Amino acid sequence: MKKVIFSAIALMAVSGMSAQNKSMVDTVYSISEIEVVDFSRKKTEIGKLNVPLEYLPMTINTVSYKDLEIRGIVNIEDAVKFLPGVRMQTSYGSFQTLTVRGFNYTPIMVDGIRDERTMINSYPVADLTDVESMELLKGPASVLYGQSVIGGVLNIVRKSPTPYNVVNARMVYGSWDNKQASMDFGGKLYKSVNYRALLNYANQDGWRDNGNKRFSGYFALASKIDATSNIDVRAGFNRDWYGTEIGLPPNMTNDVFNTSDGALFLNKGQMQPGLNRESRYNSQSDFFKNYGWNVTAKYDKKFSDHLKLQNHASYFDDDINYFGTESLKYLESDKAIYDHYYMTKNKAGEQVKKYICLDSVYLASPLRFSHMAKTFSNQLELSGDFYTGSIKHNFIAGYTFSLMARNSYTGYTLAPITDPLNSKYDVYGPGLYSRVAVNNPQSMGYMNSSFSKAIITKSYMHSIYFQDLVELDDKWKVMLAGRYDFFKYMRANAPTYDGGRQYHKSEQTAYSINNTSSFTYRAGVVYMPTKDLSVYGSMASFFNPYRDFYAENVIYINSNGDRFHPSDGKEIFKPQTGYQGEVGVRYNLGKYVQATGSVFYIIRNNEKKTLKTDEVDEDGITKSVVGQVGSSGSKGFDLDITVFPLQGLNVMLGYGYTNATIREMKKNDYMESEVLKGKKLTGVPQNTFFAAANYLIQKGAFKNLGFVTTVSYMDKVYRNTDNTSEYPSYWLVDMGVSYKLKNNVRLSANVNNVFDKDYLNQSLGSQMVPSMPRNFLLTMAYTLR
């Protein structure tokens, strides 16, 4: 199959180049590449309004595909390093969560359409082969994009159809048998119909033998219908297979001592010494598939130079199918049969020794689930400008509807350890509970898995909004924006049919329903003392609805710290709400410097916390305690600078400082209110930094020889709320060199993690996942534009 795909892409490249060149016979005899850098005031899709970026009282950072392409970057986790104050965490192989300005509620959009999946769970993001740019609006943006936009929102802008002939072919080979091939075509298809078509395939053994495989395609058409209307239709698909990732054997959860002499062997939180970073402990039965496709249609009707109507409809279909070994556990005993022990409490509360074997682990908790999500959305917007006297108003008014229907299938019941082959359970087989050596691990057998339960959910969102950017004069701009959202969440359960991904509709429970509505706003002002300098400030709010329903084994605490008894099937907790205050500055010094800096403070209220997990209630039943008793704050600043000191050279610098902490915990009977106050939020680096340089020699014997360098820093990140466990800080250096031949073929070599830094950025519980060591990419690319 791999050879067929590679051959097909190669054939497309040859035929495409031949066809494109043939079409230019007798019209173009020679062409020299001229790189044009556009320093004019740019507009962004994510800001919605048809005004220059300098007019907007909000912070927006962008990443161009050119800066990614010359570095061989096609994965989002590598791309976000060019966005200061941002961290991407990848879990279980490819479940990805984006944290911005201290909060991990960051919707990801495609061409301005929200990916609703990212608001429920972390999800894999498809490769970036078809991407033109990425736009990140920082801070709360519910007034633009609805619920759950707290830290920011990321918009992935795909390549547009073009009237000009375009051919881009790319072949890559890299470390651990990393093979990639992609083709990109564009041009005039028929009369006013333009197109863009891309195909990408990647296959890599992986440095930890995870063996990721990705296959994706994209096709877009755009055409003028008449002199006043246009239509743009886009479709994409992905068929991705990821190796699941559970990391190395667990770090110590307690201080560990030698049985022989009682001497301290390992500290709490420490990793076993001598572990092989490349060792893989997953079961041979693990897999992670993500298949999806989407189609969007955008229609523009221009009534005049001052009024336009746009309708943007989309449909996304996504299928996640996952089975992962998950937890690894050490063998333990109350008897002194192992070489090490740690201290714990018995049921009587007495300190006793628990003996632990550090030579092997067993596969304790495999997890089987699947999410099948179908999302339809439609945005209807009227935009334009008008005058009241000498004052210009740039406005947009709209209505948005979205529906996501998601069926989640679970297979969580495991065969008992005394009978692991019992097929009556969701997961069984000789590999279940099997032991694996810590050093030189080998698979100990397969596992079978099936589904027993379906969770049927539907999420509806209706929104109306209005935004007005008022140009008082050449120096002063004022923004006023408001939005009202109605969010409805429904959930029901049902048994599955024959263990597969179908459920008995006749046995489905009644829907539990959660209705939430909220008004959000943005008010801002921009002052432009010169055409190159703009200073802005704004206040913006957000809301984030909960999706909880009543459970009998939970004790509920309200925002005053008091216990309450919610109704079954009704809303339990009020949505998270909050706001951001921000002040920023933009500066453009002609063709030499482009800079953006901002200072912010975000407050998030109505946070839900699990206070205890083992509280014995009045009825004698042990329950968890969940309360809406917390609030968090995040304050800091970020800076993004691009400098063009000489022809052929540009340098990008970015720095983000984020101080995200727990502000308050309401006093209640189940915990001390001051215990967590002031603690750092988990998953948030306080400092992030990057410096990237691109240099292309313009003349002389080494003309067309290029160099790229990227230096990035990620501060330590706390992994738990009491701030006792962390991912250490690290620096990374990536470098590359390229040379363009006269036939439009570019050869390049990139080395990532040049100094072979051993660092950590993800884990599964206390099972740390080592990040990729030094690796290389060799690329041959052909470009005709």
Side-chain angles (χ1 to χ4, degrees), residues 457-476:
T457 63
K458 294 181 180 179
S459 302
Y460 298 87
M461 188 168 71
H462 298 267
S463 311
I464 54 174
Y465 48 92
F466 181 80
Q467 189 175 182
D468 188 12
L469 192 285
V470 184
E471 299 181 44
L472 300 177
D473 54 36
D474 290 341
K475 296 183 183 297
W476 291 95

Side-chain angles (χ1 to χ4, degrees), residues 95-143:
F95 285 100
Q96 294 164 322
T97 303
L98 188 63
T99 298
V100 182
R101 287 191 170 177
F103 299 103
N104 59 9
Y105 286 94
T106 305
I108 295 176
M109 304 192 299
V110 178
D111 294 331
I113 300 294
R114 282 172 50 121
D115 183 348
E116 297 293 341
R117 304 173 309 156
T118 58
M119 292 297 91
I120 299 178
N121 295 106
S122 54
Y123 268 87
V125 177
D127 64 78
L128 304 181
T129 309
D130 59 1
V131 170
E132 182 73 27
S133 66
M134 296 195 307
E135 305 171 336
L136 177 66
L137 193 164
K138 290 184 172 178
S142 285
V143 73

Side-chain angles (χ1 to χ4, degrees), residues 274-407:
L275 293 179
N276 184 351
R277 289 197 301 159
E278 296 188 29
S279 292
R280 186 169 171 81
Y281 298 83
N282 290 73
S283 164
Q284 66 186 43
S285 301
D286 291 356
F287 62 88
F288 181 178
K289 301 175 185 177
N290 179 210
Y291 296 165
W293 62 274
N294 63 82
V295 60
T296 67
K298 183 165 62 175
Y299 171 75
D300 292 296
K301 175 66 176 179
K302 189 176 182 181
F303 297 105
S304 70
D305 291 339
H306 305 286
L307 188 63
K308 183 179 76 169
L309 180 69
Q310 181 182 95
N311 194 76
H312 198 174
S314 69
Y315 180 79
F316 285 70
D317 190 300
D318 186 80
D319 183 351
I320 292 285
N321 199 357
Y322 175 91
F323 179 75
T325 301
E326 302 275 333
S327 300
L328 301 171
K329 292 187 178 179
Y330 294 110
L331 301 175
E332 295 183 349
S333 176
D334 294 328
K335 299 179 180 179
I337 59 175
Y338 299 129
D339 294 336
H340 304 92
Y341 71 89
Y342 64 90
M343 301 303 297
T344 187
K345 290 183 179 180
N346 61 16
K347 293 183 178 180
E350 303 169 328
Q351 287 284 334
V352 296
K353 293 180 179 180
K354 178 73 72 171
Y355 295 89
I356 182 172
C357 174
L358 300 180
D359 297 326
S360 61
V361 290
Y362 67 97
L363 310 184
S365 304
L367 198 63
R368 181 75 169 103
F369 63 81
S370 175
H371 302 306
M372 303 174 71
K374 303 178 188 300
T375 306
F376 170 76
S377 67
N378 191 79
Q379 297 178 7
L380 180 64
E381 296 179 334
L382 184 69
S383 62
D385 59 75
F386 64 91
Y387 285 83
T388 55
S390 62
I391 298 175
K392 184 180 181 180
H393 298 260
N394 304 277
F395 75 92
I396 185 168
Y399 166 73
T400 295
F401 168 77
S402 69
L403 163 64
M404 182 175 72
R406 192 180 85 150
N407 295 339

Side-chain angles (χ1 to χ4, degrees), residues 691-703:
N694 310 332
Y695 180 55
L696 181 66
I697 298 175
Q698 301 293 299
K699 56 186 177 180
F702 297 103
K703 181 181 179 182

Side-chain angles (χ1 to χ4, degrees), residues 605 607 629-632 661-666 673 677-678:
N605 299 313
E607 292 185 344
V629 296
S631 69
S632 297
T661 61
I662 296 175
R663 296 179 62 247
E664 183 181 14
M665 294 291 290
K666 294 288 180 65
S673 59
K677 185 176 180 179

Side-chain angles (χ1 to χ4, degrees), residues 61 84 138 595-598 637-641 653-657 690:
N61 297 141
K138 290 184 172 178
T596 302
S598 58
F637 64 91
D638 40 52
L639 185 64
D640 192 8
I641 303 174
L653 300 170
Y655 173 71
Y657 172 80
F690 82 89

Side-chain angles (χ1 to χ4, degrees), residues 5-16:
I5 294 174
F6 269 90
S7 298
I9 293 178
L11 181 60
M12 290 169 63
V14 174
S15 60

